Amino acid sequence: MKIVKAEAIPFAIPYAKPLRFASGEVHTADHVLVRVHTDEGLTGTAEAPPRPYTYGETQESIVAVIDKIFAPQILGLSALEREAVHARLERTVGNPTAKAALDMALWDILGQAAGMPVSGLLGGYTDRMRVSHMVGFAPAEEMVAEAEHVRDVYGITTFKVKVGRRPYTQDVQACLALRTALGPEVELYIDGNRGWTASESARALREMAGLGLTFAEELCPADDVLGRRWLVAQSPVPFIADESATRAAEVTRELLGGSATAISIKTARTGFTASQRVLHACEGLGVEVVMGNQIDGQIGTLCSVAFGAAHRTTARNAGELSNFLDMTDDLLAEPLAIENGTLRVREGAGLGIDIDTDKLARYRQDR
Ligand SMILES: [Mg+2]
């Protein structure tokens, strides 16, 4: 089952409502569709979302690194030789979403060849995940209205609130308004995308002590090494490392160094193979994990839920699987549906990614 072609197709789909947070904002899904073809006629599919403000990748850089470096290195290898593929990809530093998409496309091929869903191959723990919805920057009353809408329409009762603006007059007030409006039954946690200082974070956590937050994520930069450790030591809830600890080695370093006490896993940046390494490191060290969202489209979300539902530890907390709701359209022939606050893994062999060819023709940027 030799790899005969690896394609990187740039596409752009506008958001109905831009997502705003401390480290950036997103108006258009400028993603890359990645397809790996074998000599037996199987095609593995995944999606790479560039996040220049987090990992330095752009849509153009993802296409270039796949076309010019990765594809020539992996052509001729068997799609089953994932470790050999990774050994070649790892000759190049960085480019996490390009590598992750190639990895997930190979798993898609593996599932199709075996006649099994990828989620089953990965672990097969359950067939669905509870969904957590991300509430981006807006005036507090708009954030409340969005959360109420998402709760009423999709049954979602877990919300990740973006913080990292002016801590006491904006963020704490927004969290207070959300808790007051939504009541005690919803789960709330916060993500600062490194927008606060350690001291602002400590004071904000004290001011929100009565809000029953579940987690706090990347409130201040991990590069503020001692300040971050000082903050994490006094955090009343698990402190999630997201963009500061992506690979298993970084995760181990940050956890052992006291800069985090929980980890966000994103298949968009570590695929399935490296996400399992991160997950197993976390299980070995005994810390909680959350399935995060790299502002994925529906293809990326399908990959996240396949991984999250596959393992007991990742299925325990709600996964961030709803960012695609803000996109005006998508490439999947059969759109994802969140019902009763949960998203199901797609049945059938592989990942179940069926691309609508008309939509791909409409949104691709290379023709
Ligand atoms: Mg985050």
Side-chain angles (χ1 to χ4, degrees), residues 160 162 191 193 217-218 242-243 264 266 293 320:
K160 166 149 117 176
K162 288 293 194 183
D191 181 4
N193 292 105
E217 177 173 320
E218 298 281 10
D242 174 14
E243 60 268 31
S264 174
K266 293 181 175 173
N293 195 310
E320 296 161 12

Side-chain angles (χ1 to χ4, degrees), residues 7-349:
E7 286 182 285
I9 304 169
F11 66 94
I13 299 176
Y15 274 80
K17 178 174 83 68
L19 180 66
R20 297 191 168 90
F21 42 97
S23 55
E25 55 183 68
V26 174
H27 296 263
T28 307
D30 292 309
H31 295 185
V32 180
L33 183 72
V34 174
R35 292 203 283 209
V36 177
H37 304 268
T38 72
D39 61 352
E40 295 182 10
L42 296 180
T43 300
T45 306
E47 169 181 46
R51 298 291 164 246
Y53 38 79
T54 316
Y55 310 112
E57 290 176 294
T58 64
Q59 190 182 45
E60 292 81 4
S61 80
I62 290 170
V63 172
V65 80
I66 290 177
D67 283 351
K68 295 184 178 160
I69 298 179
F70 294 154
Q73 286 181 337
I74 65 173
L75 293 190
L77 289 175
S78 165
L80 303 180
E81 297 173 314
R82 271 196 327 283
E83 287 286 308
V85 170
H86 276 281
R88 298 202 182 172
L89 300 185
E90 291 310 319
R91 293 173 184 166
T92 305
V93 298
N95 297 284
T97 70
K99 291 174 181 171
L102 287 168
D103 175 74
M104 293 188 287
L106 290 179
W107 277 92
D108 189 21
I109 291 170
L110 179 63
Q112 292 172 44
M116 287 180 63
V118 169
S119 198
L121 289 174
L122 287 167
Y125 178 68
T126 178
D127 65 351
R128 70 196 71 189
M129 284 191 84
R130 281 191 300 123
V131 175
S132 165
H133 182 73
M134 201 182 282
V135 183
F137 289 174
E141 61 275 14
E142 285 177 31
M143 294 168 74
V144 167
E146 182 191 341
E148 288 176 333
H149 171 77
V150 164
R151 178 195 60 189
D152 296 345
V153 174
Y154 301 103
I156 293 173
T157 55
T158 303
F159 297 95
K160 166 149 117 176
V161 187
K162 288 293 194 183
V163 299
R165 296 175 287 180
R166 291 160 59 86
Y168 322 118
T169 53
Q170 286 183 297
D171 298 316
V172 171
Q173 293 309 313
C175 291
L176 182 61
L178 284 161
R179 177 59 83 202
T180 303
L182 300 170
E185 59 272 15
V186 305
E187 201 177 316
L188 293 179
Y189 58 109
I190 55 173
D191 181 4
N193 292 105
R194 302 156 280 141
W196 290 341
T197 65
S199 59
E200 286 171 339
S201 307
R203 180 178 154 191
L205 283 174
R206 283 197 301 275
E207 293 192 4
M208 292 190 285
L211 297 186
L213 298 178
T214 317
F215 300 109
E217 177 173 320
E218 298 281 10
L219 299 185
C220 73
D223 281 356
D224 298 347
V225 178
L226 291 181
R228 171 87 162 226
R229 291 182 191 179
W230 169 84
L231 172 66
V232 171
Q234 63 184 285
S235 175
V237 291
F239 194 102
I240 298 173
D242 174 14
E243 60 268 31
S244 68
T246 59
R247 299 174 301 109
E250 291 168 347
V251 164
T252 309
R253 208 176 288 139
E254 293 303 294
L255 289 171
L256 295 184
S259 291
T261 44
I263 294 295
S264 174
I265 295 177
K266 293 181 175 173
T267 52
R269 68 180 173 217
T270 36
F272 297 141
T273 305
S275 289
Q276 277 195 325
R277 292 192 175 124
V278 169
L279 172 63
H280 294 158
C282 291
E283 288 177 337
L285 292 165
V287 302
E288 285 189 64
V289 302
V290 172
M291 288 306 297
N293 195 310
Q294 201 63 67
I295 321 176
D296 301 303
Q298 295 198 17
I299 299 168
T301 304
L302 203 48
C303 292
S304 287
V305 74
F307 186 91
H311 309 92
R312 185 165 63 110
T313 310
T314 45
R316 184 170 280 176
N317 290 312
E320 296 161 12
L321 300 166
S322 66
N323 278 134
F324 72 87
L325 294 175
D326 289 332
M327 289 170 65
T328 53
D329 203 356
D330 213 291
L331 298 183
L332 282 189
E334 186 197 335
L336 297 184
I338 296 171
E339 292 168 343
N340 299 320
T342 63
L343 181 66
R344 297 174 76 104
V345 173
R346 198 147 275 189
E347 291 170 2

